[in-house]
Amino acid sequence: KSFIQKVQSSKHFTMPDFYTAMQDEQAQWFGVINGFDVERENYYGFKNKIYESFNHFRTYKVSGIVYGNGGCGKSTMLRRLAIDFHKEQLFSVVWLNDNSVDSFVKEGLYVIENNSLKKESTSGFLIIIEDWCRMFNDKPDLANEFLKRTDKIDGVRIVLGDRNMVEKPYLKHLNHDTNPVLLTSDENQNIIEKITEKYPNWKEPSENLFQKPQNYESTLFLLLFILARTNQKASKLSVNSLSEPKTLFLEIIESDLKFIAKNKKHIGLAKALYYWACFYSEHKIHISYETFL
């Protein structure tokens, strides 16, 4: 509750801030709390599965998985889940941050374990892991400790996001009726049409960009980023690139880096940004914005 109040009282974020994943985590929470997101077709079915998992004994606690390529909308869907369950107050919602995984496993789980032993304890805890790959892939021992300890706590259920489920340790800890949800580009057209209804400034660039239906096949984040930027600088971008979203995305990034490189007050920043992106792309090791600066 205090977290949501803090987000609501923070600086105001615009719809473009939210849709383009502005480098400020509060922007993403602010957007979901204020209804900027678009509900996916399978959301309620997914949510009900999580809710029902608390009504029966479960040996294994992983009750929901959302997976798909980077930028497909996993984090937004999980944030919507966290906010909705918080409002309903059926159980406590725990959202794990990247930099708190170690302390949560070593200290936070003890709080939940002790709470579950009390007669007057809460009806349960839903632990949400935004990105398993980013948080646990390079920490196999910590991942196994987390999964084994939560298996022993009756009132815990786990929902996680991941890019793929190949040889992941949590697969041995799934509820028997867990149905992983794959997010693809199939819903992109519907989502973008609803976004342009909420934010009409993007209607014209959207009509230009999606003259070809196959242009919806890129990741959702990439398409929303393009809509935001073409709305800002359409006259400076080639018309031909509108037919190929990935080409246009690269053109925008190249233009931005060149613009930054010309700023004599921040010599080297453009190159540093490029290396930061390459490093994450190859190694998938998360470097926070604050650490980078």
Side-chain angles (χ1 to χ4, degrees):
K1 183 178 180 180
S2 61
F3 171 75
I4 290 178
Q5 290 173 341
K6 179 182 177 182
V7 172
Q8 290 174 322
S9 62
S10 66
K11 62 182 180 180
H12 179 82
F13 293 98
T14 66
M15 286 187 175
D17 290 338
F18 172 70
Y19 296 134
T20 57
M22 178 183 176
Q23 193 63 264
D24 185 328
E25 190 179 20
Q26 297 289 62
Q28 302 310 302
W29 285 108
F30 183 93
V32 174
I33 291 170
N34 288 280
F36 294 173
D37 58 319
V38 174
E39 202 169 277
R40 289 181 174 270
E41 291 179 2
N42 53 7
Y43 173 71
Y44 272 111
F46 178 71
K47 181 188 171 192
N48 287 335
K49 274 283 187 182
I50 307 304
Y51 168 72
E52 291 170 3
S53 72
F54 278 93
N55 295 330
H56 307 280
F57 173 78
R58 293 287 186 267
T59 301
Y60 300 118
K61 302 307 190 298
V62 178
S63 304
I65 299 173
V66 181
Y67 70 106
N69 293 331
C72 68
K74 300 185 296 294
S75 295
T76 300
M77 186 169 172
L78 291 176
R79 282 185 171 86
R80 169 52 55 201
L81 188 76
I83 296 299
D84 285 353
F85 275 139
H86 162 74
K87 291 178 180 177
E88 295 170 13
Q89 297 185 340
L90 301 170
F91 35 76
S92 298
V93 179
V94 180
W95 180 278
L96 283 192
N97 288 322
D98 287 6
N99 58 0
S100 64
V101 172
D102 292 76
S103 61
F104 177 75
V105 174
K106 295 174 182 176
E107 301 168 17
L109 279 180
Y110 282 114
V111 177
I112 294 177
E113 288 167 340
N114 292 333
N115 185 281
S116 66
L117 297 175
K118 298 177 182 177
K119 293 182 180 180
E120 69 278 8
S121 66
T122 180
S123 56
F125 288 85
L126 178 66
I127 301 173
I128 301 180
I129 300 169
E130 179 184 8
D131 190 326
W132 180 275
C133 175
R134 198 171 67 218
M135 296 184 187
F136 283 109
N137 260 22
D138 61 340
K139 300 176 181 179
D141 292 339
L142 191 71
N144 287 325
E145 181 184 353
F146 168 74
L147 292 166
K148 289 178 180 178
R149 285 179 61 186
T150 50
D151 279 347
K152 297 177 181 178
I153 308 174
D154 290 340
V156 162
R157 300 293 182 269
I158 300 167
V159 175
L160 60 90
D162 205 351
R163 300 203 176 197
N164 64 70
M165 300 191 301
V166 179
E167 298 181 351
K168 297 300 172 73
Y170 56 73
L171 293 175
K172 297 179 180 179
H173 298 261
L174 298 182
N175 284 349
H176 70 276
D177 57 352
T178 298
N179 296 316
V181 174
L182 172 63
L183 299 188
T184 67
S185 60
D186 293 347
E187 288 188 72
N188 284 356
Q189 181 172 355
N190 177 56
I191 291 172
I192 290 173
E193 287 176 353
K194 288 184 177 179
I195 287 174
T196 56
E197 289 175 8
K198 294 184 179 186
Y199 193 69
N201 286 13
W202 287 0
K203 190 168 183 62
E204 184 177 346
S206 174
E207 291 172 349
N208 292 330
L209 182 61
F210 300 115
Q211 291 179 13
K212 295 181 179 180
Q214 61 265 34
N215 283 2
Y216 285 107
E217 294 175 4
S218 296
T219 63
L220 184 60
F221 164 74
L222 185 145
L223 297 176
L224 293 173
F225 180 88
I226 290 172
L227 284 179
R229 299 309 302 279
T230 52
N231 186 56
Q232 291 175 341
K233 51 198 293 186
S235 60
K236 299 179 182 178
L237 297 169
S238 65
V239 177
N240 292 335
S241 59
L242 286 172
S243 63
E244 176 47 58
K246 291 182 180 178
T247 300
L248 180 54
F249 179 78
L250 292 174
E251 187 177 333
I252 293 170
I253 298 301
E254 183 179 1
S255 172
D256 287 348
L257 289 175
K258 287 181 177 178
F259 177 82
I260 295 170
K262 291 178 182 178
N263 189 331
K264 295 181 181 179
K265 292 183 179 179
H266 304 291
I267 296 174
L269 179 58
K271 186 176 288 187
L273 285 166
Y274 175 74
Y275 286 147
W276 183 24
C278 291
F279 187 77
Y280 181 78
S281 177
E282 182 174 348
H283 301 287
K284 295 296 184 291
I285 295 175
H286 178 67
I287 301 174
S288 71
Y289 191 53
E290 292 76 15
T291 300
F292 168 75
L293 290 178

